[in-house]
């Protein structure tokens, strides 16, 4: 299948239910309950009480005392209802609420996610692939430069996500310019996902003089998975619920973990501490996850998995000096709010050639055998080599970090694709994040 073919995924949630982006339970839209708004100021409302389901999910009663959850009652004698009403009357206090929650874990479900089928994107990588750094930069780009380009909004779905992003990602990396520490294993304690809702509204021509607006949403649910978590069967099973629910997967690959790349780059960057660990090799990480997904999905031998996969070589800034000036990896992406299909194919071909040059061609072959749709990328979250545990002197200067997600938005039907000569504008340089 061509990497630029438009094959939107079937709207699984519309047919079989909605997947909670927290516990990944699949629930029927008609079963989604509401949470009372509670008492505030002079407004009448129910008093907070301990929510046992939410406390169990959080692993603590702290933060789990909230107004009660209740089932919405469907009115008798009305026409067939295919989904719950957006608002309901609390049976305890009579106040109207639009706060919906997952019936299994009682985490909040944003209205836009419930009403418009979202997509869950999983992020996977070995210990040294730079997942935490990539998460920090990708989210910042979506909140700022790329979000403006796409006329899209990125909103955190809960207060825990807001706090964790600021504390663990944005403040140390983007403000203090400190490199993020290696992620601790989930075996040492529960770790919260970062849950965002990316919403984009596009307008198209309808009848003469009229335009039609279409709003699509993508649930971006990210776990900062430690490398050892993908080796431990007990801990890996916890993450497989997240992977099984994913509509797409982004694999991050550290080039220094590839057999032929490390010697070629030895004068520039030293291999990470896991370079001699066979379990950290990209092919082994991807194969381990792929086999588990096959078992969970019940995919027959020989049949490819339908989940589209984006495989990105990180730290591409280190590789660029060794490439010819004509290489597609020297070009910055066109920031016109569309996907340049010719550029996408050129980058894919360049990364594929590098994989074969670095004795890692089997990675591309394996992906083609196991997945119906995969694409290759070259990205850099920092844009330069760090120095003494800190971001380089030039600051954080991401290079095409958004490319994998833009390709997935195109696959989901949320982004248009064009060929050169369609008036989309020229190529421009990415904006740095210096001082932000």
């Amino acid at each position: 299948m061509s990497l630029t073919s438009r094959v939107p995924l079937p709207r699984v949630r519309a047919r079989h239910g909605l997947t909670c982006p927290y516990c990944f339970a699949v629930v029927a839209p008609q079963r989604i309950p509401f949470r009372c708004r509670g008492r505030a100021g002079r407004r009448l409302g129910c008093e907070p009480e301990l929510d046992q389901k939410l406390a169990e999910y959080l692993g603590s009663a702290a933060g789990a005392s909230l107004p009660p959850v209740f089932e919405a009652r469907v009115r008798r004698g009305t026409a067939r209802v295919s989904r719950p009403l957006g608002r309901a009357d609390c049976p305890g206090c009579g106040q109207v609420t639009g706060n919906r929650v997952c019936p299994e874990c009682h985490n909040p479900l944003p209205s836009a996610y419930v009403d418009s089928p979202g997509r869950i994107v999983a992020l996977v990588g070995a210990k040294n692939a730079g997942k935490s750094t990539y998460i920090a930069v990708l989210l910042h780009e979506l909140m700022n430069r790329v979000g403006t380009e796409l006329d899209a909004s990125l909103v955190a779905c809960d207060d825990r996500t807001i706090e964790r992003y600021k504390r663990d990602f944005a403040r140390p990396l983007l403000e203090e310019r400190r490199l993020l520490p290696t992620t601790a294993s989930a075996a040492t304690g529960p770790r919260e996902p970062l849950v965002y809702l990316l919403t984009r509204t596009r307008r198209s021509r309808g009848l003469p003089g009229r335009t039609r607006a279409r709003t699509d949403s993508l649930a971006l649910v990210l776990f900062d998975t430690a490398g050892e978590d993908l080796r431990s069967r007990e801990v890996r099973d916890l993450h497989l619920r997240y992977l099984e629910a994913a509509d797409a997967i982004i694999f991050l690959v550290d080039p220094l973990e590839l057999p032929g790349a490390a010697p070629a780059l030895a004068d520039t960057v030293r291999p990470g501490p896991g370079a001699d660990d066979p379990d950290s090799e990209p092919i082994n990480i991807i194969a381990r996850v792929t086999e588990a997904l096959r078992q969970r999905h019940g995919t027959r031998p020989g049949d490819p998995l339908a989940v589209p996969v984006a495989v990105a070589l990180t730290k591409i800034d280190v590789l660029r000096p060794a490439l010819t000036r004509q290489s597609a990896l020297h070009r910055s992406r066109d920031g016109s709010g569309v996907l340049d299909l010719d550029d996408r194919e050129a980058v894919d071909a360049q990364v594929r050639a590098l994989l074969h040059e670095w004795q890692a061609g089997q990675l591309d072959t394996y992906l083609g055998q196991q997945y119906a749709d995969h694409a290759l990328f070259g990205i850099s979250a920092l844009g330069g080599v760090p120095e003494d545990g800190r971001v380089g002197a030039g600051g954080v200067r991401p290079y095409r970090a958004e490319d994998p997600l833009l390709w997935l938005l195109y696959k989901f039907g949320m982004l248009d694709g064009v060929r050169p000569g369609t008036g989309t504008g020229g190529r421009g340089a990415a904006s740095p994040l210096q001082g932000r």
Side-chain angles (χ1 to χ4, degrees):
M1 179 181 296
S2 170
L3 60 91
T4 56
S5 61
R6 178 65 66 82
V7 186
L9 297 181
R11 295 198 174 255
V12 176
R13 291 176 179 79
R15 293 199 304 267
H16 303 296
L18 180 143
T19 301
C20 172
Y22 297 92
C23 69
F24 311 113
V26 179
V27 298
Q30 295 85 352
R31 288 191 55 234
I32 298 177
F34 290 78
R35 187 184 295 280
C36 176
R37 296 170 61 192
R39 179 176 298 181
R42 296 182 179 180
R43 186 186 70 204
L44 297 178
C46 296
E47 295 287 347
E49 59 185 38
L50 180 61
D51 187 326
Q52 294 289 353
K53 286 189 175 182
L54 182 59
E56 181 178 350
Y57 171 85
L58 297 174
S60 169
S65 291
L66 297 168
V69 170
F70 63 91
E71 300 288 340
R73 290 180 290 182
V74 179
R75 298 174 183 174
R76 301 293 182 182
T78 59
R80 179 183 176 185
V81 178
S82 60
R83 62 181 182 182
L85 298 175
R87 301 172 70 83
D89 297 332
C90 174
C93 65
Q95 295 295 312
V96 178
T97 178
N99 301 331
R100 286 177 277 190
V101 301
C102 170
E104 300 299 327
C105 67
H106 283 189
N107 273 291
L109 295 177
S111 296
Y113 181 65
V114 174
D115 298 335
S116 177
R119 306 289 190 180
I120 295 178
V121 178
L123 182 67
V124 180
K127 190 172 185 178
N128 302 306
K131 297 179 300 300
S132 299
T133 300
Y134 181 70
I135 288 174
V137 172
L138 176 63
L139 292 175
H140 187 280
E141 290 286 85
L142 290 174
M143 293 174 189
N144 295 278
R145 179 181 62 88
V146 177
T148 300
E149 173 193 331
L150 299 180
D151 193 19
S153 63
L154 184 73
V155 179
C157 291
D158 59 56
D159 291 340
R160 302 192 301 273
T161 291
I162 295 174
E163 174 58 28
R164 185 170 178 236
Y165 173 71
K166 290 182 178 179
R167 182 189 67 239
D168 297 342
F169 297 91
R171 186 176 299 130
L173 182 68
L174 303 178
E175 296 178 14
E176 301 172 0
R177 297 189 179 184
R178 293 185 290 107
L179 296 186
L180 300 181
T182 302
T183 304
S185 171
T188 62
R191 187 166 58 251
E192 287 285 301
L194 294 167
V195 184
Y196 288 89
L197 192 69
L198 178 67
T199 304
R200 186 171 190 238
T201 300
R202 293 184 295 163
R203 291 173 175 80
S204 59
R205 294 182 179 180
L207 297 174
R210 297 183 180 180
T211 59
R212 293 179 298 179
R214 173 183 173 183
T215 299
D216 293 311
S217 65
L218 169 77
L220 191 57
V221 185
L222 299 174
F223 274 114
D224 186 14
T225 307
E228 56 267 34
D229 287 348
L230 297 175
R231 292 181 293 192
S232 167
R233 179 178 300 275
E234 179 181 356
V235 179
R236 188 174 75 243
D237 287 344
L238 298 176
H239 293 284
L240 283 179
R241 290 182 300 164
Y242 156 61
L243 294 172
E244 181 185 5
D247 295 295
I249 298 176
I250 297 177
F251 281 114
L252 296 185
V253 175
D254 182 354
L256 295 178
E257 302 289 353
L258 301 179
L265 301 173
D267 294 336
T268 308
V269 178
R270 295 180 179 179
D276 296 328
D277 184 357
D279 283 330
S280 293
E281 293 180 7
I283 185 65
N284 293 333
I285 294 289
I286 293 175
R288 192 176 298 116
V289 173
T290 300
E291 181 59 29
L293 286 176
R294 282 188 165 280
Q295 295 177 7
R296 289 296 182 102
H297 285 281
T299 307
R300 295 180 300 178
D303 290 345
L305 286 161
V307 180
V309 170
V311 180
L313 293 185
T314 60
K315 308 173 185 176
I316 205 67
D317 55 284
V318 178
L319 311 178
R320 290 170 69 188
L323 304 175
T324 64
R325 295 302 304 174
Q326 294 76 25
S327 170
L329 294 178
H330 278 298
R331 298 198 298 258
S332 295
R333 186 182 58 80
D334 187 324
S336 56
V338 295
L339 183 68
D340 185 332
L341 300 180
D342 286 345
D343 174 75
R344 173 82 291 277
E345 291 174 348
V347 171
D348 187 88
Q350 174 70 86
V351 175
R352 179 171 288 105
L354 288 174
L355 290 178
H356 286 272
E357 178 183 341
W358 292 335
Q359 306 167 35
Q362 64 167 339
L363 182 62
D364 179 52
T365 301
Y366 180 81
L367 290 165
Q369 294 169 341
Q370 301 298 323
Y371 294 91
D373 203 1
H374 80 279
L376 306 175
F377 301 83
I379 65 173
S380 174
L382 295 179
V385 180
E387 304 170 359
D388 299 324
R390 298 185 63 83
V391 175
V396 178
R397 298 171 294 172
Y399 174 76
R400 306 192 71 148
E402 70 276 9
D403 278 16
L405 184 60
L406 295 183
W407 177 71
L408 292 176
L409 292 179
Y410 170 75
K411 288 293 178 179
F412 295 155
M414 292 177 63
L415 186 67
D416 294 328
V418 299
R419 298 287 180 181
T422 58
T424 59
R427 301 184 187 280
S431 300
L433 299 180
Q434 299 178 18
R436 300 182 186 179

